[in-house]
Amino acid sequence: MEGGFVDGIIEKYRGRKTALISILHDLQGRYRYLPEEALRQVASRMEMDLKDLYALATFYKAFTLTPQGEHSITLCAGTACHVRGGPKVLREVQRLLKIAPGQTTPDGQFSLKVVNCLGVCAIGPVMVVDGKFYGEMNPGKVKKILARLAGREGGGKA
């Protein structure tokens, strides 16, 4: 853990407790999760109880305390996506990556999350990869997208 990086983030926000969420976002952006050591350093530098910082970090779904993959995959399990084939898309992602929702591949390349709704029902089933929305998904499209991300295929469009 780079103590200087954590100190730099805290200094960027002048150590203001009102900036805690921004500090956590910056830390997660660097490490792809909130490491305990970094949280301990923030709590110490900002003179706050570590349990209060953990309470904040676990309250917001945007934060995670477990290492995440280089590529984040989110699948919608809402009604519209479900009836249009969402379960088939999920099964294909799980088959290819050999992980369940909430897990990260052993090589640290992919993390998988399933949410109740992404709010884009008209293009369901939907898969979001690294913030990019892919609509009207099916197992074939999943295979192409994951292969491209894993570097097993030239950069063609999925």
Side-chain angles (χ1 to χ4, degrees):
M1 185 72 39
E2 305 159 42
F5 178 76
V6 176
D7 285 338
I9 294 296
I10 294 168
E11 290 305 315
K12 174 181 171 183
Y13 296 101
R14 296 185 179 103
R16 293 186 316 250
K17 287 187 180 174
T18 56
L20 277 173
I21 291 181
S22 296
I23 290 168
L24 295 179
H25 274 293
D26 286 1
L27 289 173
Q28 185 163 289
R30 171 63 174 250
Y31 300 111
R32 295 196 306 253
Y33 78 112
L34 296 174
E36 179 181 347
E37 188 178 327
L39 292 177
R40 286 184 181 282
Q41 190 173 350
V42 169
S44 174
R45 281 283 314 277
M46 299 193 67
E47 300 177 351
M48 61 184 299
D49 198 331
L50 181 61
K51 70 177 180 182
D52 293 334
L53 192 55
Y54 266 100
L56 182 68
T58 57
F59 178 79
Y60 293 101
K61 288 185 183 243
F63 299 123
T64 180
L65 301 175
T66 56
Q68 298 297 295
E70 182 179 338
H71 299 289
S72 170
I73 299 171
T74 303
L75 296 174
C76 180
T79 303
C81 288
H82 181 85
V83 299
R84 292 180 177 150
K88 289 179 186 176
V89 172
L90 175 59
R91 281 193 297 276
E92 183 68 359
V93 172
Q94 290 179 292
R95 183 186 74 78
L96 293 170
L97 298 181
K98 297 175 178 39
I99 59 173
Q103 295 181 333
T104 298
T105 56
D107 64 2
Q109 194 166 16
F110 296 97
S111 291
L112 175 60
K113 180 168 61 170
V114 175
V115 297
N116 290 330
C117 186
L118 289 166
V120 289
C121 304
I123 63 170
V126 177
M127 179 169 85
V128 181
V129 180
D130 299 334
K132 182 176 179 182
F133 284 71
Y134 294 89
E136 300 175 358
M137 289 302 298
N138 61 50
K141 286 182 178 181
V142 166
K143 191 171 185 176
K144 286 179 184 178
I145 292 167
L146 295 184
R148 187 179 69 236
L149 288 170
R152 293 189 296 260
E153 185 180 295
K157 286 264 185 197

